[in-house]
Amino acid sequence: MPVPLRPHQVEALEAVRRASEAGSRRWWVTMPPGAGKTLVGTEVARLLGLRTLVLSPNTAITAQWAHTWESYDGPPAGNRRDLRSSLTSLTYQSLAVFDEAERATEDPVRPDDEDGDQAAGAPSHLDRLHPNGRELVETMREAGPMLLVLDECHHLLELWGELLREVLDQLPEAVVLGLTATPPGAMTRAQADLTAELFGPVLYEASIPALVAAGTLAPYAELAWLVEPTPEEAAWLAEQSTRFAELTSDLFAPGFGSTPFPAWVEQRFPGDGDADADGPATTWAEQSAREPALADAVLRLAHAELVALPPGGVLHERHREDAGAEDWRLLLDDWLRGCIQPRAETEGPDGAGDRDVLEAVRRTLPAIGYAWTRRGVRTGRGTVDRVTARSRAKEAAVAGITAAEARDLGDRTRVLVLCDHERATATTRRRLADGPGDQDPAAPEPAGSALGVLTSLLRHRDAAALRPVLVTGRTVAGSHATLAALVDWLRHTHPMLAGGLRIEDADGVAVLVGRWTSGAWVGHLTRWFTEGGTRCLIGTRGLLGEGWDAPCVTALVDLTTATTPTAVVQTRGRALRTDPADPDKVALVWSVVCTYDGHVAGAGDWDRFGRKHRGYFTVDEQGEVVDGVAGVDSAFSEFHPPPAAQHDAIDARMLRRAEDRDTIRAQWRDRGEVADTVGHVVRVRRTGTGAAPADEARSGTAGLTSWTDRSRERPGARLAVVPPVVAVVLVVLLALLGLPVAALVVLAVLLLGAAAVAAVALLGRATLQGASAHRVGLGHVAAAVADGLHRADLSPVGSDALRVQVAPDGTTSYALAGVDEDVSARFATAFEEVVSPMASPRYVVPRRLTSAPAGLDGLHRGLRSRGRQQPDGEVWHTVPSVLAAHRRTADAFAAAWHHWAGGDGTPVAAVYAHSPEGAGVLATHRGEDPFAVTCVVRRVWS
């Protein structure tokens, strides 16, 4: 064995062994880049002793397999289709290349296809293969028992899923091992279904956070640098925004269309109990479940007060923002196809007005990247999105990031900048409203290319000191001095190669040309980068992405636009490898995001940023490992970007965090024993304030005492004993002074009576103050939800597993410990429902209120209370939908609610919302915010 196996690799091999003993022949293992999938696969091949064929996505990875196999001092690996070697390592293109005659009709199955089944009567994918591919399949079939290893098998799933199914059908005796870095949870439904069919359930999964905590991968932090478009770009975007603003103004003008847009929205989403456009009466919950994206778009319009809030509709985090481009696409598509288009197609003058509406929309939609067709509103070429995605402001941001990295790490700095393209193209100059050949001279020049980044770095003194080099599939470029240093280095390492190279000027930079190809220069530049000859490489994801290996990378700057889980994991994998030369390495992964507040599509780059981080965990500034953009910064929301006025403060905050690598390392490595589980937490902030809820003033609470225990701890209750004690002391003193017995008795009766009255008043006031000071808080609600789920057999634990934590910024988090992800999500959703404004509940429960007394009124009320709490109001809450499906589970929640939120001890019952009493509750309390808090649900790793 070339190197000792790590614990996760041993676990993976043990899982394979158990599956083999159980008779399974299809195995699927997922590990992130840098976790050693190649070594695991090679060990499986060695242990099984079968002839092995490894298929990989590119030649760099096939070479890694050959090198690992040969490190066992066995026979060399083969690279021919005859499969005569013990282990043959080929690319997927060796198999999945279609015959030239078939390429025009090639329609590979994509991961977002809803139905992956081959169309009836369609030709077999095997029949469409190039003869070399068919020959390889026949050779595999004739080989008999063999091991087929599909490395990074997501490539086949994404491009040729049906082909893979047909190939495996031809190999009934083969053992198949699928290896991938894409975790199951990040796959699309189509990918997951096909994977389950071909491989069965995942055999072993190693998560990135677990491997970082264990030291297998480097500690890392995701950071974001936010920019606005350049003045030229912003001016062009403002023009496009004006065009769309004119359309939206028309949309809300009376008489624009036979049925105006606002009227159509009201008809389509009339709210609870009314007949909708489909006929039967329905509730908002049913409508939003049937068309969730469209319902969300309507609620965003309501948030902007463009339409009325539909009865039953509730604004959650994702709705408290203006409608975006996709919202308008959905709404306009629904209105146009459902109302305007049918009437516009009517002959005669009756349809003239609606035909004018269609024409106005057709002219304006390209301003937000969409187009009107007879089949509806479709995604266009997205000029606006391209302007923000490839803004020239991003090039300047990269210079700032690299300069900061150089200041922080000095000679240890190794920055990798990944772009989509080497050079910018002219596609962004096209006016989408016009024909495909027309150009818009006002459109900004395209930017965001690798060459543009290099030019920007060379203009920045501190960044230029890193001697940046551009390396792509066709170009090696940099400053003249840097390339001269590279040639000098090559003279010592590869003198024959160096002799054939020369430096030329092109596009304002120096270019190294000669008789070599990317297959040679990538390896040389990687070694030069590792040695510090250059401390910044700029390249494309296609060349320096999957398969490229440089453990020295300390910072990755991601300028790419790919958002698939595979692309995200592989891109991050370039930075997360541990560096033997730097055991304390901490990697930073920077995303540069451009947003423009003045355009409805100006958040497109932020949406892409959110998609990239969805399902991807990173450590936030508070040390919690969180999924999504909240892991970059706990204040971030994937639904809307921060306003431009906050960009500078956010960038400064990110730079400060980048400077403190020791804290990032400790946040990952000092976690103790980890469970490697994912759960959900609810983060709560008081609306309009950063203060934590009064009843959650401590951090790390393992549980909450019962309401009855807390009520015994009434503040000021001990003061009730003071008057009697004082009265007794005075009587004793008077007796010692020789006061006559008769007078002493009278004074004693008066003093003790007054003391008794004062004691009762103080006790009553303390009781009322205690009811206020310890009034039902969010922790009590969380405990009630936990116990309600437990009583209903929907959770294995109750309030004893409740965890409450208060962050320095005042945010309070609630979660259940020791449960699986489904249960934790169930708790989080239920808790959010209870504390949020009431929408369309099936059952409701009351929470009684007691105000804090003061002055003489407090004493008076205390006397009347005689030590009992006296509520003076009530608020109603939703019984969580998961507990409201049946009376039994609703009663289970009511019992838990009574225990934690009963207040005065009066029994609490769940009230059916459609009963007379419930209808009254809905009429008076629907839409009220019971706690005035904002909730967000986050996935966290522990």
Side-chain angles (χ1 to χ4, degrees):
M1 186 179 303
V3 295
L5 294 175
R6 294 177 173 177
H8 69 279
Q9 293 170 323
V10 173
E11 293 170 358
L13 290 171
E14 178 61 20
V16 169
R17 184 191 64 79
R18 291 195 301 267
S20 178
E21 292 177 351
S24 170
R25 303 179 68 84
R26 301 283 179 89
W27 308 325
W28 175 30
V29 172
T30 174
M31 294 180 178
K37 295 190 301 295
T38 304
L39 187 58
V40 170
T42 306
E43 275 291 299
V44 172
R46 189 179 68 86
L47 295 174
L48 291 181
L50 298 174
R51 182 177 301 180
T52 299
L53 170 62
V54 181
L55 295 177
S56 306
N58 56 52
T59 56
I61 299 179
T62 60
Q64 292 173 12
W65 278 93
H67 175 75
T68 303
W69 175 257
E70 292 165 2
S71 66
Y72 282 86
D73 297 327
N79 58 4
R80 301 176 63 87
R81 292 186 179 90
D82 56 22
L83 306 185
R84 293 182 179 178
S85 301
S86 299
L87 184 141
T88 301
S89 182
L90 302 174
T91 65
Y92 283 126
Q93 285 73 18
S94 302
L95 169 67
V97 174
F98 291 94
D99 188 52
E100 289 292 337
E102 298 289 344
R103 291 192 181 189
T105 60
E106 182 180 340
D107 185 20
V109 176
R110 296 290 177 176
D112 54 354
D113 288 343
E114 292 296 327
D115 185 2
D117 293 335
Q118 191 172 329
S124 165
H125 291 286
L126 289 175
D127 293 338
R128 297 169 56 210
L129 286 179
H130 185 277
N132 289 339
R134 292 198 294 270
E135 178 185 355
L136 178 58
V137 174
E138 181 63 21
T139 302
M140 287 192 288
R141 190 181 65 80
E142 294 176 351
M146 66 173 297
L147 171 64
L148 175 61
V149 179
L150 304 173
D151 192 14
E152 305 298 356
C153 60
H154 50 268
H155 282 274
L156 277 184
L157 295 177
E158 291 175 357
L159 298 175
W160 303 290
E162 290 301 318
L163 170 63
L164 178 58
R165 189 204 311 267
E166 293 183 26
V167 169
L168 295 185
D169 287 343
Q170 298 291 314
L171 307 174
E173 298 182 90
V175 177
V176 183
L177 172 62
L179 298 171
T180 180
T182 304
M187 288 185 173
T188 65
R189 189 184 72 184
Q191 282 181 317
D193 291 346
L194 183 58
T195 301
E197 176 186 344
L198 297 179
F199 300 103
V202 61
L203 198 62
Y204 180 79
E205 178 181 2
S207 70
I208 290 178
L211 296 185
V212 173
T216 301
L217 297 179
Y220 68 97
E222 289 272 347
L223 303 172
W225 188 290
L226 307 187
V227 299
E228 295 180 85
T230 65
E232 178 194 11
E233 294 164 348
W236 185 83
L237 290 169
E239 178 186 347
Q240 307 307 304
S241 181
T242 299
R243 294 170 61 193
F244 186 72
E246 293 171 353
L247 173 62
T248 55
S249 177
D250 289 340
L251 287 176
F252 294 93
F256 189 69
S258 54
T259 300
F261 177 73
W264 175 257
V265 172
E266 184 176 350
Q267 292 175 18
R268 285 284 280 115
F269 292 92
D272 291 350
D274 297 328
D276 65 6
D278 295 329
T282 186
T283 66
W284 172 261
E286 292 168 340
Q287 291 173 316
S288 58
R290 188 171 60 238
E291 300 174 285
L294 193 60
D296 285 346
V298 170
L299 291 181
R300 292 188 186 105
L301 287 187
H303 169 70
E305 299 182 349
L306 294 174
V307 299
L309 180 67
V314 178
L315 300 178
H316 294 290
E317 178 195 7
R318 64 184 182 276
H319 305 129
R320 300 182 189 276
E321 58 174 326
D322 292 338
E326 179 63 11
D327 295 319
W328 285 109
R329 186 193 73 79
L330 291 169
L331 291 163
L332 288 172
D333 181 73
D334 188 73
W335 177 54
L336 295 175
R337 290 196 300 120
C339 178
I340 301 300
Q341 185 183 31
R343 297 172 184 173
E345 294 174 349
T346 302
E347 295 291 339
D350 291 342
D354 287 330
R355 286 193 288 272
D356 291 341
V357 169
L358 288 180
E359 178 60 24
V361 172
R362 186 196 69 79
R363 289 195 309 267
T364 308
L365 277 178
I368 59 172
Y370 296 105
W372 168 251
T373 70
R374 291 185 60 83
R375 297 177 59 189
V377 180
R378 296 290 183 262
T379 302
R381 290 185 289 267
T383 302
V384 170
D385 183 50
R386 284 196 182 99
V387 169
T388 55
R390 302 173 61 183
S391 170
R392 197 167 297 280
K394 289 189 174 186
E395 298 173 353
V398 176
I401 291 170
T402 55
E405 184 77 354
R407 289 193 298 270
D408 294 342
L409 294 184
D411 291 341
R412 293 187 294 120
T413 303
R414 300 291 187 277
V415 178
L416 172 65
V417 183
L418 289 183
C419 306
D420 286 323
H421 309 287
E422 176 187 324
R423 298 169 186 268
T425 65
T427 56
T428 59
R429 297 181 59 84
R430 220 169 256 174
R431 184 196 295 273
L432 298 185
D434 300 324
D438 294 333
Q439 300 292 322
D440 179 5
E445 289 289 343
S449 66
L451 184 60
V453 171
L454 173 63
T455 303
S456 179
L457 295 186
L458 292 178
R459 287 198 298 261
H460 192 288
R461 185 188 63 182
D462 293 339
L466 298 178
R467 299 205 292 189
V469 173
L470 179 149
V471 52
T472 68
R474 63 179 185 178
T475 305
V476 175
S479 70
H480 195 285
T482 297
L483 296 188
L486 172 60
V487 173
D488 186 62
W489 178 79
L490 287 170
R491 285 195 183 98
H492 291 86
T493 58
H494 296 82
M496 295 186 62
L497 176 62
L501 300 178
R502 65 184 185 278
I503 302 173
E504 298 180 353
D505 292 329
D507 296 319
V509 299
V511 178
L512 192 59
V513 297
R515 299 185 62 181
W516 64 342
T517 65
S518 61
W521 69 55
V522 170
H524 294 306
L525 278 166
T526 300
R527 287 190 290 275
W528 200 49
F529 178 60
T530 301
E531 294 177 12
T534 173
R535 289 180 285 157
C536 178
L537 284 184
I538 309 157
T540 58
R541 182 173 60 88
L543 189 69
L544 301 184
E546 187 175 34
W548 183 74
D549 189 7
C552 61
V553 172
T554 60
L556 166 71
V557 184
D558 182 13
L559 297 182
T560 66
T561 57
T563 61
T564 64
T566 296
V568 171
V569 172
Q570 291 296 336
T571 298
R572 268 64 183 159
R574 301 317 100 201
L576 302 191
R577 285 171 166 78
T578 56
D579 184 4
D582 183 10
D584 293 329
K585 169 185 168 179
V586 173
L588 303 180
V589 181
W590 286 89
S591 297
V592 183
V593 187
C594 179
T595 65
Y596 179 66
D597 294 347
H599 195 288
V600 68
D605 207 33
W606 183 268
D607 295 339
R608 185 165 30 252
F609 174 61
R611 293 195 300 274
K612 280 187 176 186
H613 287 80
R614 198 172 299 152
Y616 188 82
F617 289 88
T618 185
V619 63
D620 67 11
E621 75 279 8
Q622 298 172 9
E624 195 166 24
V625 180
V626 186
D627 173 21
V629 299
V632 181
D633 190 286
S634 60
F636 283 176
S637 168
E638 69 172 302
F639 302 111
H640 54 83
Q646 297 180 11
H647 284 186
D648 289 345
I650 291 171
D651 295 345
R653 189 162 72 236
M654 295 292 166
L655 287 175
R656 287 194 298 271
R657 193 164 174 227
E659 293 173 355
D660 193 3
R661 276 176 154 89
D662 290 341
T663 295
I664 296 171
R665 185 187 305 107
Q667 288 171 336
W668 278 110
R669 294 285 167 81
D670 297 347
R671 308 184 72 88
E673 186 175 353
V674 297
D676 194 15
T677 59
V678 175
H680 291 71
V681 302
V682 185
R683 291 180 172 177
V684 181
R685 289 181 63 89
R686 293 290 188 191
T687 302
T689 177
D695 63 327
E696 320 296 358
R698 61 193 186 280
S699 176
T701 306
L704 299 175
T705 59
S706 69
W707 171 265
T708 54
D709 291 339
R710 291 175 66 93
S711 66
R712 294 191 189 104
E713 301 173 2
R714 296 188 291 272
R718 294 187 181 90
L719 294 178
V721 304
V722 173
V725 170
V726 171
V728 171
V729 170
L730 288 175
V731 171
V732 171
L733 289 175
L734 291 173
L736 293 176
L737 292 174
L739 192 69
V741 174
L744 182 63
V745 170
V746 173
L747 287 174
V749 170
L750 293 175
L751 287 172
L752 291 175
V757 171
V760 170
L762 288 172
L763 180 61
R765 184 180 181 188
T767 298
L768 293 176
Q769 287 179 328
S772 176
H774 295 295
R775 61 190 180 274
V776 176
L778 298 174
H780 298 80
V781 174
V785 171
D787 281 345
L789 292 172
H790 185 52
R791 290 170 185 247
D793 298 324
L794 295 173
S795 169
V797 298
S799 58
D800 56 331
L802 179 64
R803 298 295 182 266
V804 184
Q805 291 186 326
V806 181
D809 66 352
T811 301
T812 308
S813 298
Y814 301 86
L816 285 184
V819 297
D820 62 31
E821 185 173 358
D822 289 340
V823 174
S824 70
R826 191 176 300 143
F827 165 80
T829 301
F831 176 71
E832 184 182 20
E833 287 185 67
V834 177
V835 302
S836 296
M838 187 182 298
S840 302
R842 182 177 173 84
Y843 288 95
V844 293
V845 290
R847 171 170 59 93
R848 297 179 177 90
L849 304 177
T850 303
S851 60
L856 294 176
D857 176 64
L859 289 175
H860 177 64
R861 291 178 59 190
L863 285 171
R864 288 190 301 159
S865 72
R866 295 188 298 275
R868 292 192 300 272
Q869 300 164 6
Q870 299 292 323
D872 50 17
E874 64 183 9
V875 173
W876 289 79
H877 293 261
T878 298
V879 173
S881 55
V882 71
L883 291 166
H886 305 285
R887 165 59 73 175
R888 179 186 65 82
T889 53
D891 287 341
F893 177 74
W897 185 263
H898 169 68
H899 176 74
W900 290 102
D904 63 348
T906 305
V908 174
V911 176
Y912 184 53
H914 298 291
S915 67
E917 180 184 3
V921 170
L922 294 184
T924 56
H925 289 79
R926 175 181 280 159
E928 290 186 357
D929 196 344
F931 281 108
V933 296
T934 299
C935 298
V936 295
V937 178
R938 299 288 184 251
R939 293 178 74 230
V940 300
W941 174 88
S942 61

